[in-house]
Amino acid sequence: MTGTREARPETSARATLDKAADENFPVAPFFLPRAWRDDLMAVYGYARLVDDIGDGDLAPGGADARHLGVDPALAEDRPAVLDAFEADLRRVFDATPRHPLLRALQPTVRRSSLPAEPFLGLIEANRQDQLVRRYKTYDELLAYCELSANPVGRLVLQITGTATPERVRRSDAVCTALQIIEHLQDVTEDLGRDRVYLPAEDMERFRVTEADLAAGTGSASVRVLVAYEAERARRLLDEGTPLVGSVHGRLRLLLAGFVAGGRAALTAIADAGHDVLPGPPKPTKANLLREVGAVLRRARREG
């Protein structure tokens, strides 16, 4: 006995869902139908939890590990917890899962006939995070985003009954862009976890070392590198933006929020002079609303 109060499973699940407020874009805004909001929050809870396992950010007390059938003493063994999490995910499709967030996911999976593959992709991305801490090329980073980001957009399309091959392609571009933008915002945090998501070939091209990334402020070379990667993300957002005009009603507004969140974050990065090392540049609500309006106007022109 250490005297540390263990987190109740409901408490740890609530803490996981509460992280939605910190995202660059609204996860399940009020204007959506209640069923969609519930389903999107269930998917968000799943995605956030698997990331927390991969990052070692589970709630203290071992409640999550215990619900997955893992000895709380092994809660820091990320591969073991990910393996247990995958086993519990599979119960979503043919039995009763143990973890509260996976039990909450089960009605969503059944209602929308969601396949296992996108969920398994997110687990595989976090397994990769335990083994791969540097990416040599941009193509390698894109392959990682295929696992870590794109499944979420595909699930949104399936939940809303709007998935088509073209929409999935556009969604993948948006999701990859959002993942790259998050990496740019979190350079310092990721380096603290011994992870670098800036392609090594680009760092070499701009003569940036990991020692430069560890500095309190970005050198001119670091800022040029960040600007280069930000422009790549912007082009991906441009490629994916026609997705917004291809749907209608409240779903159009939701997808506009996703795209606008990425654009507003890029503006925040630019406004910081592309110096992301002091901390994540965050978009203002005013700029986010302006970007939503701009994306919707473009959607009306293209729709």
Side-chain angles (χ1 to χ4, degrees):
M1 295 285 291
T2 63
T4 300
R5 181 174 295 178
E6 295 181 352
R8 295 177 60 198
E10 296 82 359
T11 302
S12 62
R14 184 70 259 167
T16 299
L17 293 173
D18 285 346
K19 294 180 181 181
D22 297 327
E23 302 294 344
N24 283 330
F25 45 85
V27 173
F30 70 92
F31 56 78
L32 293 178
R34 177 61 183 271
W36 282 8
R37 294 203 309 271
D38 290 347
D39 289 343
L40 291 172
M41 284 305 297
V43 168
Y44 174 81
Y46 173 89
R48 184 69 266 171
L49 179 59
V50 71
D51 279 353
D52 286 349
I53 294 171
D55 290 341
D57 285 341
L58 291 176
D64 292 300
R66 186 177 299 102
H67 263 264
L68 294 171
V70 177
D71 186 332
L74 300 177
E76 298 301 317
D77 185 343
R78 299 177 197 178
V81 179
L82 286 169
D83 287 347
F85 189 69
E86 179 180 337
D88 209 30
L89 168 67
R90 294 185 183 279
R91 295 186 189 99
V92 169
F93 297 89
D94 59 16
T96 300
R98 297 171 174 172
H99 197 284
L101 288 175
L102 291 177
R103 289 200 297 272
L105 180 65
Q106 192 167 47
T108 293
V109 166
R110 291 176 173 172
R111 192 158 41 237
S112 299
S113 300
L114 300 179
E117 286 74 18
F119 299 104
L120 292 170
L122 294 173
I123 294 176
E124 194 57 36
N126 280 274
R127 284 201 180 104
Q128 186 166 314
D129 276 335
Q130 311 313 307
L131 302 171
V132 181
R133 298 183 178 274
R134 307 291 188 277
Y135 289 86
K136 184 175 181 180
T137 68
Y138 182 62
D139 285 343
E140 287 182 2
L141 185 64
L142 292 181
Y144 169 74
C145 293
E146 175 70 17
L147 296 172
S148 68
N150 298 358
V152 176
R154 296 177 188 184
L155 288 168
V156 170
L157 293 177
Q158 288 174 304
I159 285 170
T160 57
T162 55
T164 67
E166 177 64 11
R167 285 180 178 140
V168 167
R169 185 180 74 81
R170 301 286 189 183
S171 172
D172 286 353
V174 171
C175 290
T176 293
L178 295 177
Q179 179 75 88
I180 291 172
I181 293 165
E182 184 177 331
H183 288 160
L184 294 178
Q185 291 175 304
D186 294 341
V187 168
T188 297
E189 179 183 337
D190 290 334
L191 188 63
R193 300 180 190 274
D194 191 28
R195 296 176 185 166
V196 177
Y197 294 102
L198 297 166
E201 64 180 5
D202 296 340
M203 291 178 63
E204 182 177 351
R205 173 182 176 183
F206 292 103
R207 299 183 180 181
V208 172
T209 67
E210 290 191 21
D212 295 325
L213 299 182
T217 59
S219 66
S221 295
V222 169
R223 295 181 189 212
V224 171
L225 171 61
V226 170
Y228 178 76
E229 304 299 348
E231 180 56 29
R232 279 177 153 171
R234 187 177 297 280
R235 289 198 298 268
L236 283 168
L237 278 180
D238 286 342
E239 180 184 338
T241 297
L243 171 67
V244 179
S246 76
V247 299
H248 302 281
R250 286 176 282 187
L251 178 58
R252 176 178 285 191
L253 186 55
L254 174 69
L255 299 184
F258 292 163
V259 173
R263 293 188 181 281
L266 286 173
T267 297
I269 291 171
D271 288 347
H274 295 99
D275 186 5
V276 298
L277 300 189
K282 293 292 188 179
T284 65
K285 289 186 178 180
N287 192 44
L288 176 59
L289 290 174
R290 282 195 296 270
E291 292 289 355
V292 168
V295 172
L296 288 173
R297 287 192 295 273
R298 175 175 169 177
R300 283 195 292 270
R301 291 195 303 268
E302 296 176 347

